[in-house]
């Protein structure tokens, strides 16, 4: 049977039902009729007000090529594509992280392409939300609402959590209303799932389902340990394998969005692979986990720190890592300029080096950070120009006419070679701008207004 990994935001066609929160298992002592019984209720009474529902609406735009025979009948001016617009609604969850400023964290896939975002608070209030920024590679988005008497969730150091720790998931599955389930931390550092570009998931068996995206995974103290994001769903429903983005990773990204309005991703400058048993034997290593460095980019942060090809990086800031994907996720969610220590094995000896992460202008970026009408496209620097490697259906980028595989080579009459230049030129532009696009063997202009 083919394994199906599913993101958790729910598309809805009918209004959600308001139900009493459901609590699954018991763990904490609580007094009932003078007797002590285990219960999560005291913790949840303080924590659940910090978890909200997120309702979105927008318009999906789909394009289909008009068959050649029909274009022939309608003459040389006949359209090559048929454009259809279809309204959509969706539902997910979010977590209040700053009560005074009204900041709410959710998943990027919950709000991606939405024209309107509305947050439902636990006390019944419904408030319009503004998107502050998002990062498609890690699937994190930051919203802001203007409301009083909010409750923020408590924070903790998620590098300290262990497999076997109790975990409680809070969210709004299937539009039913706030629901609470419990379980344990099943695994740490899960990656290679193909869900996101940067993966370093907490795995849990706490029951989470469609609509839980952006909700909270907390410990028994009610402290946030992760943002629920995806499940393995071979049958389409919960089977006890869910994934959450670690709170430390979320905090790194959120602080960058708050400070810069975007994620300024840190770059180490290495390529490599997971350290497996075969590779460990070949290099005479006792360790079975870590990131094997194949290559170090010249003049990069890794090069300046003295990291060499053949090194095995086994820990970041004193916390062990299992794979190259985990190294990539940890570094990629730290901001440019961050000072990081790396523990590595070289020729059988353990060493520690310190690096100051660089900022890359050659990595993929969520293009809404570049221009509002590019929102929904993902851009990447190439030798030929800026390539569109993905366009979300219904997004402003799709409505602008951009398509996967397009290469941006200029703006108005100015040649553009990289994302940094593109962003700089667009920032200083006023009114409509014309993007020069290379599409296959054809050159064309698309106007952004």
């Amino acid at each position: 049977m083919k394994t199906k990994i599913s993101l958790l935001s729910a598309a809805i066609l009918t209004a959600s039902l308001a139900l009493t929160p459901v609590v699954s298992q018991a763990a904490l002592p609580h007094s009932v009729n003078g007797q002590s019984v285990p219960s999560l209720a005291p913790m949840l009474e303080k924590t659940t007000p910090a978890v909200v529902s997120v309702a979105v609406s927008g318009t999906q735009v789909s394009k289909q090529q008009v068959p050649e025979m029909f274009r022939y009948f309608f003459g040389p001016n006949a359209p090559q594509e048929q454009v259809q617009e279809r309204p959509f609604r969706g539902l997910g969850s979010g977590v209040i992280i700053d009560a005074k400023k009204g900041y709410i964290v959710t998943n990027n896939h919950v709000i991606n392409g939405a024209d309107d975002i509305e947050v439902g608070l636990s006390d019944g209030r419904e408030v319009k939300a503004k998107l502050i920024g998002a990062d498609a590679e890690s699937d994190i988005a930051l919203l802001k609402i203007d409301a009083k008497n909010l409750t923020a969730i408590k924070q903790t150091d998620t590098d300290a959590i262990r497999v076997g720790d109790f975990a409680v998931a809070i969210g709004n599955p299937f539009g039913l209303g706030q629901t609470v389930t419990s379980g344990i931390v099943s695994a740490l550092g899960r990656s290679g799932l193909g869900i996101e570009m940067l993966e370093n998931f907490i795995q849990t068996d706490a029951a989470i389902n469609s609509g839980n995206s952006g909700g909270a995974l907390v410990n028994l103290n009610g402290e946030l340990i992760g943002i629920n994001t995806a499940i393995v769903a071979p049958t389409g429903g919960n089977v006890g394998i869910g994934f959450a983005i670690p709170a430390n990773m979320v905090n790194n990204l959120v602080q960058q969005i708050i400070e810069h309005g975007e994620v300024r991703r840190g770059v180490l400058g290495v390529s490599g692979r997971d350290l497996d048993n075969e590779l460990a034997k070949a290099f005479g290593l006792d360790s079975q986990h870590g990131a094997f460095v194949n290559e170090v980019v010249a003049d990069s942060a890794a090069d300046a720190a003295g990291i060499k090809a053949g090194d095995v990086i086994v820990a970041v800031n004193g916390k062990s890592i299992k794979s190259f994907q985990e190294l990539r996720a940890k570094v990629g969610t730290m901001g440019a300029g961050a000072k990081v220590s790396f523990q590595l094995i070289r020729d059988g000896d353990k060493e520690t080096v310190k690096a100051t992460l660089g900022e890359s202008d050659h990595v993929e970026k969520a293009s809404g950070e570049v221009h509002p009408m590019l929102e929904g496209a993902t851009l990447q620097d190439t030798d030929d120009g800026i390539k569109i490697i993905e366009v979300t259906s219904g997004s402003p980028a799709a409505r602008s006419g951009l398509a996967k595989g397009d290469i941006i080579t200029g703006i108005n009459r100015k040649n553009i070679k990289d994302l940094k230049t593109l962003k700089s030129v667009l920032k200083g532009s006023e009114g409509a701008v014309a993007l020069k696009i290379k599409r296959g063997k054809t050159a064309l202009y698309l106007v952004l207004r």
Side-chain angles (χ1 to χ4, degrees), residues 354-391:
K354 294 184 178 181
T356 301
L357 301 181
E359 180 178 5
S360 175
D361 297 317
H362 305 282
V363 297
E364 301 166 13
K365 290 191 176 182
S367 55
E369 302 165 0
V370 179
H371 189 281
M373 290 310 295
L374 293 179
E375 178 69 41
T378 305
L379 312 179
Q380 185 178 40
D381 286 342
T382 69
D383 293 338
D384 298 325
I386 304 160
K387 187 174 182 179
I388 311 297
I389 63 172
E390 194 65 51
V391 178

mmCIF file of all heavy atoms in Angstrom, residues 354-391:
data_model
loop_
_atom_site.group_PDB
_atom_site.id
_atom_site.type_symbol
_atom_site.label_atom_id
_atom_site.label_comp_id
_atom_site.label_asym_id
_atom_site.label_seq_id
_atom_site.Cartn_x
_atom_site.Cartn_y
_atom_site.Cartn_z
ATOM 1 N N LYS A 354 33.518 27.077 15.136
ATOM 2 C CA LYS A 354 32.461 28.083 15.188
ATOM 3 C C LYS A 354 32.389 28.808 13.857
ATOM 4 O O LYS A 354 33.416 29.150 13.267
ATOM 5 C CB LYS A 354 32.726 29.069 16.332
ATOM 6 C CG LYS A 354 32.631 28.425 17.710
ATOM 7 C CD LYS A 354 32.796 29.443 18.820
ATOM 8 C CE LYS A 354 32.646 28.780 20.187
ATOM 9 N NZ LYS A 354 32.771 29.752 21.301
ATOM 10 N N ALA A 355 31.164 29.018 13.403
ATOM 11 C CA ALA A 355 30.954 29.669 12.108
ATOM 12 C C ALA A 355 29.912 30.771 12.242
ATOM 13 O O ALA A 355 28.977 30.671 13.045
ATOM 14 C CB ALA A 355 30.499 28.652 11.069
ATOM 15 N N THR A 356 30.077 31.819 11.445
ATOM 16 C CA THR A 356 29.075 32.863 11.319
ATOM 17 C C THR A 356 28.365 32.660 9.995
ATOM 18 O O THR A 356 28.978 32.774 8.932
ATOM 19 C CB THR A 356 29.720 34.265 11.364
ATOM 20 O OG1 THR A 356 30.415 34.432 12.598
ATOM 21 C CG2 THR A 356 28.648 35.344 11.237
ATOM 22 N N LEU A 357 27.086 32.317 10.046
ATOM 23 C CA LEU A 357 26.357 31.949 8.838
ATOM 24 C C LEU A 357 26.270 33.112 7.865
ATOM 25 O O LEU A 357 26.059 34.263 8.255
ATOM 26 C CB LEU A 357 24.953 31.470 9.185
ATOM 27 C CG LEU A 357 24.856 30.251 10.117
ATOM 28 C CD1 LEU A 357 23.395 29.887 10.328
ATOM 29 C CD2 LEU A 357 25.633 29.071 9.543
ATOM 30 N N GLY A 358 26.421 32.787 6.593
ATOM 31 C CA GLY A 358 26.286 33.792 5.557
ATOM 32 C C GLY A 358 24.846 33.906 5.096
ATOM 33 O O GLY A 358 23.972 33.163 5.520
ATOM 34 N N GLU A 359 24.588 34.862 4.200
ATOM 35 C CA GLU A 359 23.268 35.027 3.601
ATOM 36 C C GLU A 359 23.369 34.746 2.124
ATOM 37 O O GLU A 359 24.212 35.308 1.429
ATOM 38 C CB GLU A 359 22.719 36.440 3.816
ATOM 39 C CG GLU A 359 21.338 36.645 3.196
ATOM 40 C CD GLU A 359 20.782 38.039 3.447
ATOM 41 O OE1 GLU A 359 21.508 38.867 4.020
ATOM 42 O OE2 GLU A 359 19.621 38.287 3.063
ATOM 43 N N SER A 360 22.518 33.865 1.634
ATOM 44 C CA SER A 360 22.584 33.488 0.227
ATOM 45 C C SER A 360 21.546 34.237 -0.576
ATOM 46 O O SER A 360 20.390 34.359 -0.172
ATOM 47 C CB SER A 360 22.369 31.987 0.065
ATOM 48 O OG SER A 360 22.319 31.649 -1.304
ATOM 49 N N ASP A 361 21.951 34.716 -1.725
ATOM 50 C CA ASP A 361 21.017 35.301 -2.683
ATOM 51 C C ASP A 361 20.670 34.295 -3.761
ATOM 52 O O ASP A 361 20.089 34.639 -4.781
ATOM 53 C CB ASP A 361 21.636 36.543 -3.344
ATOM 54 C CG ASP A 361 21.919 37.635 -2.332
ATOM 55 O OD1 ASP A 361 21.061 37.875 -1.479
ATOM 56 O OD2 ASP A 361 23.011 38.224 -2.387
ATOM 57 N N HIS A 362 21.062 33.028 -3.552
ATOM 58 C CA HIS A 362 20.883 32.028 -4.602
ATOM 59 C C HIS A 362 19.977 30.894 -4.171
ATOM 60 O O HIS A 362 19.905 29.877 -4.838
ATOM 61 C CB HIS A 362 22.248 31.473 -5.019
ATOM 62 C CG HIS A 362 23.211 32.546 -5.436
ATOM 63 N ND1 HIS A 362 23.153 33.150 -6.666
ATOM 64 C CD2 HIS A 362 24.222 33.149 -4.768
ATOM 65 C CE1 HIS A 362 24.110 34.070 -6.758
ATOM 66 N NE2 HIS A 362 24.765 34.089 -5.618
ATOM 67 N N VAL A 363 19.313 31.053 -3.043
ATOM 68 C CA VAL A 363 18.397 30.015 -2.573
ATOM 69 C C VAL A 363 16.968 30.406 -2.920
ATOM 70 O O VAL A 363 16.687 31.558 -3.250
ATOM 71 C CB VAL A 363 18.519 29.794 -1.051
ATOM 72 C CG1 VAL A 363 19.894 29.307 -0.700
ATOM 73 C CG2 VAL A 363 18.190 31.060 -0.283
ATOM 74 N N GLU A 364 16.061 29.444 -2.856
ATOM 75 C CA GLU A 364 14.662 29.686 -3.158
ATOM 76 C C GLU A 364 14.074 30.640 -2.127
ATOM 77 O O GLU A 364 14.407 30.582 -0.960
ATOM 78 C CB GLU A 364 13.883 28.378 -3.155
ATOM 79 C CG GLU A 364 14.404 27.378 -4.151
ATOM 80 C CD GLU A 364 13.863 25.997 -3.898
ATOM 81 O OE1 GLU A 364 12.912 25.884 -3.117
ATOM 82 O OE2 GLU A 364 14.398 25.057 -4.481
ATOM 83 N N LYS A 365 13.177 31.512 -2.573
ATOM 84 C CA LYS A 365 12.498 32.428 -1.661
ATOM 85 C C LYS A 365 11.020 32.471 -2.005
ATOM 86 O O LYS A 365 10.642 32.380 -3.166
ATOM 87 C CB LYS A 365 13.075 33.849 -1.778
ATOM 88 C CG LYS A 365 14.480 33.983 -1.220
ATOM 89 C CD LYS A 365 14.885 35.432 -1.106
ATOM 90 C CE LYS A 365 16.244 35.583 -0.471
ATOM 91 N NZ LYS A 365 16.633 36.990 -0.306
ATOM 92 N N ALA A 366 10.183 32.603 -0.992
ATOM 93 C CA ALA A 366 8.759 32.817 -1.219
ATOM 94 C C ALA A 366 8.616 34.199 -1.838
ATOM 95 O O ALA A 366 8.954 35.196 -1.231
ATOM 96 C CB ALA A 366 7.989 32.724 0.084
ATOM 97 N N SER A 367 8.115 34.279 -3.061
ATOM 98 C CA SER A 367 8.222 35.506 -3.826
ATOM 99 C C SER A 367 7.273 36.608 -3.382
ATOM 100 O O SER A 367 7.374 37.716 -3.854
ATOM 101 C CB SER A 367 7.999 35.209 -5.305
ATOM 102 O OG SER A 367 6.759 34.551 -5.469
ATOM 103 N N GLY A 368 6.319 36.324 -2.498
ATOM 104 C CA GLY A 368 5.502 37.389 -1.960
ATOM 105 C C GLY A 368 6.345 38.394 -1.203
ATOM 106 O O GLY A 368 5.948 39.537 -1.009
ATOM 107 N N GLU A 369 7.530 37.958 -0.762
ATOM 108 C CA GLU A 369 8.461 38.854 -0.088
ATOM 109 C C GLU A 369 9.102 39.816 -1.078
ATOM 110 O O GLU A 369 9.678 40.819 -0.704
ATOM 111 C CB GLU A 369 9.548 38.034 0.615
ATOM 112 C CG GLU A 369 8.998 37.044 1.633
ATOM 113 C CD GLU A 369 10.019 36.014 2.033
ATOM 114 O OE1 GLU A 369 11.142 36.072 1.512
ATOM 115 O OE2 GLU A 369 9.699 35.153 2.861
ATOM 116 N N VAL A 370 9.031 39.488 -2.365
ATOM 117 C CA VAL A 370 9.657 40.301 -3.393
ATOM 118 C C VAL A 370 8.674 41.314 -3.968
ATOM 119 O O VAL A 370 8.984 42.485 -4.120
ATOM 120 C CB VAL A 370 10.218 39.397 -4.520
ATOM 121 C CG1 VAL A 370 10.867 40.234 -5.614
ATOM 122 C CG2 VAL A 370 11.217 38.396 -3.956
ATOM 123 N N HIS A 371 7.445 40.861 -4.281
ATOM 124 C CA HIS A 371 6.420 41.731 -4.842
ATOM 125 C C HIS A 371 5.063 41.074 -4.594
ATOM 126 O O HIS A 371 4.922 39.865 -4.759
ATOM 127 C CB HIS A 371 6.644 41.928 -6.350
ATOM 128 C CG HIS A 371 5.757 42.971 -6.964
ATOM 129 N ND1 HIS A 371 4.441 42.736 -7.284
ATOM 130 C CD2 HIS A 371 6.005 44.263 -7.314
ATOM 131 C CE1 HIS A 371 3.909 43.830 -7.813
ATOM 132 N NE2 HIS A 371 4.831 44.762 -7.839
ATOM 133 N N PRO A 372 4.031 41.853 -4.189
ATOM 134 C CA PRO A 372 2.725 41.247 -3.875
ATOM 135 C C PRO A 372 2.150 40.408 -5.006
ATOM 136 O O PRO A 372 1.524 39.378 -4.764
ATOM 137 C CB PRO A 372 1.843 42.473 -3.576
ATOM 138 C CG PRO A 372 2.800 43.524 -3.122
ATOM 139 C CD PRO A 372 4.057 43.298 -3.904
ATOM 140 N N MET A 373 2.336 40.836 -6.266
ATOM 141 C CA MET A 373 1.758 40.102 -7.383
ATOM 142 C C MET A 373 2.592 38.875 -7.781
ATOM 143 O O MET A 373 2.248 38.168 -8.717
ATOM 144 C CB MET A 373 1.585 41.024 -8.594
ATOM 145 C CG MET A 373 0.497 42.061 -8.406
ATOM 146 S SD MET A 373 -1.073 41.339 -7.833
ATOM 147 C CE MET A 373 -1.513 40.320 -9.225
ATOM 148 N N LEU A 374 3.689 38.635 -7.050
ATOM 149 C CA LEU A 374 4.461 37.402 -7.245
ATOM 150 C C LEU A 374 4.167 36.393 -6.144
ATOM 151 O O LEU A 374 4.740 35.305 -6.129
ATOM 152 C CB LEU A 374 5.965 37.709 -7.274
ATOM 153 C CG LEU A 374 6.461 38.532 -8.457
ATOM 154 C CD1 LEU A 374 7.965 38.778 -8.333
ATOM 155 C CD2 LEU A 374 6.157 37.849 -9.767
ATOM 156 N N GLU A 375 3.271 36.756 -5.220
ATOM 157 C CA GLU A 375 2.921 35.854 -4.126
ATOM 158 C C GLU A 375 2.385 34.538 -4.686
ATOM 159 O O GLU A 375 1.516 34.506 -5.545
ATOM 160 C CB GLU A 375 1.849 36.497 -3.247
ATOM 161 C CG GLU A 375 1.379 35.613 -2.105
ATOM 162 C CD GLU A 375 2.450 35.431 -1.061
ATOM 163 O OE1 GLU A 375 3.143 36.409 -0.740
ATOM 164 O OE2 GLU A 375 2.587 34.304 -0.575
ATOM 165 N N GLY A 376 2.920 33.438 -4.193
ATOM 166 C CA GLY A 376 2.489 32.119 -4.649
ATOM 167 C C GLY A 376 3.462 31.457 -5.589
ATOM 168 O O GLY A 376 3.350 30.270 -5.873
ATOM 169 N N ALA A 377 4.450 32.220 -6.076
ATOM 170 C CA ALA A 377 5.510 31.637 -6.906
ATOM 171 C C ALA A 377 6.756 31.465 -6.056
ATOM 172 O O ALA A 377 7.001 32.232 -5.135
ATOM 173 C CB ALA A 377 5.817 32.533 -8.103
ATOM 174 N N THR A 378 7.533 30.448 -6.353
ATOM 175 C CA THR A 378 8.816 30.243 -5.688
ATOM 176 C C THR A 378 9.914 30.456 -6.716
ATOM 177 O O THR A 378 9.866 29.888 -7.805
ATOM 178 C CB THR A 378 8.905 28.832 -5.092
ATOM 179 O OG1 THR A 378 7.793 28.626 -4.228
ATOM 180 C CG2 THR A 378 10.182 28.668 -4.281
ATOM 181 N N LEU A 379 10.877 31.291 -6.360
ATOM 182 C CA LEU A 379 11.920 31.719 -7.285
ATOM 183 C C LEU A 379 13.263 31.121 -6.901
ATOM 184 O O LEU A 379 13.534 30.882 -5.727
ATOM 185 C CB LEU A 379 12.037 33.251 -7.277
ATOM 186 C CG LEU A 379 10.732 34.055 -7.401
ATOM 187 C CD1 LEU A 379 11.038 35.540 -7.349
ATOM 188 C CD2 LEU A 379 10.015 33.700 -8.673
ATOM 189 N N GLN A 380 14.108 30.929 -7.904
ATOM 190 C CA GLN A 380 15.435 30.402 -7.639
ATOM 191 C C GLN A 380 16.421 30.964 -8.660
ATOM 192 O O GLN A 380 16.135 30.999 -9.860
ATOM 193 C CB GLN A 380 15.437 28.880 -7.715
ATOM 194 C CG GLN A 380 16.771 28.242 -7.320
ATOM 195 C CD GLN A 380 16.708 26.732 -7.360
ATOM 196 O OE1 GLN A 380 16.111 26.152 -8.258
ATOM 197 N NE2 GLN A 380 17.323 26.084 -6.400
ATOM 198 N N ASP A 381 17.566 31.425 -8.168
ATOM 199 C CA ASP A 381 18.614 31.918 -9.063
ATOM 200 C C ASP A 381 19.188 30.782 -9.891
ATOM 201 O O ASP A 381 19.449 29.692 -9.374
ATOM 202 C CB ASP A 381 19.746 32.567 -8.252
ATOM 203 C CG ASP A 381 19.363 33.930 -7.707
ATOM 204 O OD1 ASP A 381 18.393 34.509 -8.211
ATOM 205 O OD2 ASP A 381 20.025 34.411 -6.779
ATOM 206 N N THR A 382 19.383 31.032 -11.162
ATOM 207 C CA THR A 382 20.074 30.096 -12.053
ATOM 208 C C THR A 382 21.057 30.882 -12.904
ATOM 209 O O THR A 382 21.082 32.118 -12.863
ATOM 210 C CB THR A 382 19.086 29.351 -12.976
ATOM 211 O OG1 THR A 382 18.531 30.283 -13.920
ATOM 212 C CG2 THR A 382 17.960 28.703 -12.183
ATOM 213 N N ASP A 383 21.847 30.180 -13.700
ATOM 214 C CA ASP A 383 22.798 30.857 -14.576
ATOM 215 C C ASP A 383 22.091 31.656 -15.669
ATOM 216 O O ASP A 383 22.645 32.611 -16.218
ATOM 217 C CB ASP A 383 23.738 29.833 -15.229
ATOM 218 C CG ASP A 383 24.666 29.177 -14.216
ATOM 219 O OD1 ASP A 383 24.881 29.784 -13.148
ATOM 220 O OD2 ASP A 383 25.146 28.063 -14.484
ATOM 221 N N ASP A 384 20.841 31.268 -16.001
ATOM 222 C CA ASP A 384 20.108 31.941 -17.078
ATOM 223 C C ASP A 384 19.245 33.092 -16.591
ATOM 224 O O ASP A 384 18.770 33.905 -17.384
ATOM 225 C CB ASP A 384 19.209 30.930 -17.810
ATOM 226 C CG ASP A 384 20.007 29.821 -18.472
ATOM 227 O OD1 ASP A 384 21.117 30.110 -18.953
ATOM 228 O OD2 ASP A 384 19.531 28.670 -18.495
ATOM 229 N N GLY A 385 19.003 33.163 -15.288
ATOM 230 C CA GLY A 385 18.124 34.178 -14.738
ATOM 231 C C GLY A 385 17.423 33.643 -13.502
ATOM 232 O O GLY A 385 17.921 32.722 -12.851
ATOM 233 N N ILE A 386 16.253 34.175 -13.188
ATOM 234 C CA ILE A 386 15.513 33.768 -11.997
ATOM 235 C C ILE A 386 14.396 32.822 -12.437
ATOM 236 O O ILE A 386 13.444 33.234 -13.094
ATOM 237 C CB ILE A 386 14.932 34.990 -11.274
ATOM 238 C CG1 ILE A 386 16.052 35.973 -10.947
ATOM 239 C CG2 ILE A 386 14.204 34.575 -10.004
ATOM 240 C CD1 ILE A 386 15.580 37.365 -10.675
ATOM 241 N N LYS A 387 14.516 31.577 -12.065
ATOM 242 C CA LYS A 387 13.580 30.557 -12.545
ATOM 243 C C LYS A 387 12.380 30.417 -11.613
ATOM 244 O O LYS A 387 12.526 30.432 -10.395
ATOM 245 C CB LYS A 387 14.292 29.210 -12.673
ATOM 246 C CG LYS A 387 13.444 28.123 -13.317
ATOM 247 C CD LYS A 387 14.259 26.857 -13.550
ATOM 248 C CE LYS A 387 13.428 25.795 -14.245
ATOM 249 N NZ LYS A 387 14.230 24.567 -14.498
ATOM 250 N N ILE A 388 11.201 30.289 -12.204
ATOM 251 C CA ILE A 388 9.985 30.010 -11.441
ATOM 252 C C ILE A 388 9.892 28.496 -11.296
ATOM 253 O O ILE A 388 9.614 27.782 -12.262
ATOM 254 C CB ILE A 388 8.722 30.539 -12.166
ATOM 255 C CG1 ILE A 388 8.920 31.984 -12.618
ATOM 256 C CG2 ILE A 388 7.509 30.382 -11.271
ATOM 257 C CD1 ILE A 388 9.117 32.960 -11.505
ATOM 258 N N ILE A 389 10.130 27.991 -10.093
ATOM 259 C CA ILE A 389 10.142 26.536 -9.917
ATOM 260 C C ILE A 389 8.814 25.994 -9.402
ATOM 261 O O ILE A 389 8.592 24.794 -9.394
ATOM 262 C CB ILE A 389 11.290 26.087 -8.992
ATOM 263 C CG1 ILE A 389 11.120 26.657 -7.586
ATOM 264 C CG2 ILE A 389 12.625 26.453 -9.571
ATOM 265 C CD1 ILE A 389 12.112 26.094 -6.594
ATOM 266 N N GLU A 390 7.902 26.899 -8.978
ATOM 267 C CA GLU A 390 6.586 26.456 -8.532
ATOM 268 C C GLU A 390 5.644 27.649 -8.527
ATOM 269 O O GLU A 390 6.039 28.762 -8.202
ATOM 270 C CB GLU A 390 6.661 25.852 -7.121
ATOM 271 C CG GLU A 390 5.425 25.061 -6.720
ATOM 272 C CD GLU A 390 5.226 23.834 -7.576
ATOM 273 O OE1 GLU A 390 6.174 23.032 -7.731
ATOM 274 O OE2 GLU A 390 4.124 23.689 -8.106
ATOM 275 N N VAL A 391 4.387 27.431 -8.907
ATOM 276 C CA VAL A 391 3.345 28.455 -8.847
ATOM 277 C C VAL A 391 2.112 27.827 -8.213
ATOM 278 O O VAL A 391 1.601 26.820 -8.711
ATOM 279 C CB VAL A 391 2.994 29.022 -10.233
ATOM 280 C CG1 VAL A 391 1.868 30.045 -10.104
ATOM 281 C CG2 VAL A 391 4.206 29.660 -10.892
#
